[in-house]
Amino acid sequence: SKVNYHVSALLLSTLPTADTTSPPAAPFNHRIVSARPSQIRNFYTINWQEVLGGGRFGQVHKCVENSSGLTLAAKIIKARSQKEKEVVKNEIQVMNNLDHANLIQLYAAYESRNDIILVLEYVGGGELFDRIIDENYTLMELDAVVFIRQICEGLQHMHKMSVLHLDLKPENILCVSRVTNKIKIIDFGLARIYKPREKLKVNFGTPEFLAPEVINYDYVSFNTDMWSLGVITYMLLSGLCPFLGDDDNQTLNNILACQWNFEEQEFIDTSEEAKDFISRLLLVNRSWRMGACEALNHPWLSDAVLHHPSINCETGKKFTEK
Ligand code: PIT
């Protein structure tokens, strides 16, 4: 069954307003980082008790820079061989190109014999994934608009800088705090500069989010990320995974056949604009999918007035705001 994320009926936000302002920028200017061959503990105090999250390649801990008192996050990535180190250095290179409030910022990096540690902007709101599955939240459609718009803005910046994320999923979207709907995209471990005609080998961790061209080992492009955006939108609106089958094989088949629908009762109250938005992303042919800019201009995201009349479409702000 694809009913894997249960969503109950408590309200996340009772105010029907879309806060369309950007999340706070990192508390430091954009930095061009390279891995320094020194010990991180000479400069930072890592809180080993506080685990912020565990990704594919290691754990993230809260930490403080001793000289400035700045709170940051330290991601420890095991990398023993030269080849493993090169992969992490690619991640650093990619992040050096990305300066945007919806993309987590890199502060520093330290290299030692067995690992590379990324020191990152700290955000404490947890994964968007946890909000999808948390029974204490029910995401309203307006919340989804606010989340998806920010993901789109982050993607638009990445794509403008010729960077593909290639691993977008709710686990890789962090909330800035528990009380706002501001988000930042993380995990650039699979991200890369777009090279026309580059094919992609990926480790099939979670197949639910893979685009058909990734499964088919075909060319990937900017619109590969847009497929993932479609999957995330579907999940935010319903708590369901559009392609999840009884096993990985079935899931992969569902993706390749582009077999998905809005038949579940979770979509009863979903607007036609939202459904149209998803339908223009979950297309097997990647050249038919909306790009990030087009998505931002889609009525579901741009006609804030549709969802709440006090939002000025020109400025994205409430009419009462300056
Ligand atoms: C935080 C809080 C948190 C996780 C992270 C940062 C992780 C960020 C991250 C991870 C990556 C990457 C870039 C950023 O490439 O819970 O402030 O693998």
Side-chain angles (χ1 to χ4, degrees):
S1 148
K2 65 179 180 178
V3 187
N4 59 334
Y5 298 104
H6 175 74
V7 178
S8 79
L10 267 167
L11 299 185
L12 170 66
S13 64
T14 48
L15 293 171
T17 52
D19 181 357
T20 54
T21 54
S22 297
F28 51 85
N29 289 331
H30 185 69
R31 295 157 69 112
I32 304 301
V33 170
S34 55
R36 292 171 58 180
S38 39
Q39 292 290 334
I40 187 172
R41 61 164 184 271
N42 295 339
F43 308 101
Y44 299 82
T45 305
I46 299 180
N47 184 343
W48 297 103
Q49 269 72 53
E50 193 147 354
V51 180
L52 294 172
R56 273 167 300 120
F57 298 115
Q59 284 190 340
V60 183
H61 294 273
K62 202 167 175 175
C63 72
V64 174
E65 185 181 31
N66 298 333
S67 63
S68 64
L70 202 58
T71 295
L72 295 148
K75 178 174 180 173
I76 298 135
I77 305 170
K78 287 262 159 283
R80 290 206 168 80
S81 66
Q82 214 40 48
K83 202 170 154 230
E84 286 173 299
K85 287 201 157 89
E86 282 313 311
V87 172
V88 184
K89 286 176 184 175
N90 169 69
E91 188 168 341
I92 293 170
Q93 274 317 316
V94 164
M95 295 190 80
N96 279 336
N97 286 298
L98 302 175
D99 181 9
H100 191 274
N102 290 118
L103 307 173
I104 212 105
Q105 294 294 298
L106 182 61
Y107 188 76
Y110 293 87
E111 176 175 358
S112 61
R113 197 148 67 93
N114 293 327
D115 42 48
I116 296 182
I117 301 180
L118 303 184
V119 182
L120 302 147
E121 174 184 3
Y122 170 76
V123 291
E127 297 170 6
L128 181 56
F129 177 83
D130 294 323
R131 292 230 189 153
I132 295 179
I133 58 170
D134 192 332
E135 303 198 1
N136 295 320
Y137 288 114
T138 284
L139 296 173
M140 300 288 105
E141 190 169 317
L142 200 59
D143 297 310
V145 168
V146 170
F147 286 129
I148 296 299
R149 194 185 277 147
Q150 293 174 86
I151 298 171
C152 259
E153 274 164 9
L155 275 181
Q156 187 182 35
H157 179 77
M158 290 186 73
H159 293 173
K160 194 176 84 191
M161 302 309 287
S162 281
V163 175
L164 312 178
H165 188 284
L166 299 177
D167 198 20
L168 266 191
K169 49 189 173 190
E171 292 94 319
N172 288 339
I173 313 289
L174 291 188
C175 299
V176 169
S177 81
R178 303 266 165 202
V179 294
T180 68
N181 282 351
K182 309 286 185 204
I183 59 90
K184 291 177 191 259
I185 298 172
I186 61 161
D187 203 338
F188 301 91
L190 290 182
R192 63 202 59 214
I193 303 289
Y194 172 62
K195 298 197 187 73
R197 284 183 291 289
E198 186 181 39
K199 297 189 174 184
L200 179 74
K201 267 208 179 88
V202 288
N203 39 346
F204 283 71
T206 35
E208 295 103 282
F209 303 98
L210 297 179
E213 61 268 27
V214 175
I215 298 170
N216 280 331
Y217 186 44
D218 200 347
Y219 303 121
V220 295
S221 75
F222 302 109
N223 284 3
T224 305
D225 287 332
M226 299 312 290
W227 171 278
S228 313
L229 185 77
V231 176
I232 294 171
T233 309
Y234 186 103
M235 292 180 69
L236 278 174
L237 291 172
S238 65
L240 309 173
C241 229
F243 300 104
L244 195 70
D246 292 331
D247 53 52
D248 284 358
N249 241 324
Q250 227 181 60
T251 303
L252 294 170
N253 279 333
N254 290 341
I255 295 168
L256 291 177
C258 205
Q259 243 177 79
W260 65 274
N261 58 60
F262 294 121
E263 282 163 21
E264 309 295 332
Q265 58 115 24
E266 281 82 352
F267 287 102
I268 284 174
D269 295 324
T270 304
S271 72
E272 287 309 311
E273 286 84 7
K275 290 178 180 171
D276 186 77
F277 184 83
I278 294 169
S279 304
R280 290 174 194 275
L281 293 172
L282 295 184
L283 297 162
V284 172
N285 186 333
R286 58 195 177 285
S287 58
W288 292 349
R289 294 173 207 153
M290 294 188 287
C293 196
E294 249 181 299
L296 282 166
N297 286 318
H298 186 279
W300 188 55
L301 291 188
S302 64
D303 292 0
V305 90
L306 275 180
H307 311 286
H308 189 67
S310 75
I311 304 284
N312 181 338
C313 289
E314 294 296 341
T315 62
K317 294 199 164 111
K318 291 181 206 161
F319 279 117
T320 49
E321 285 174 9
K322 262 254 169 87

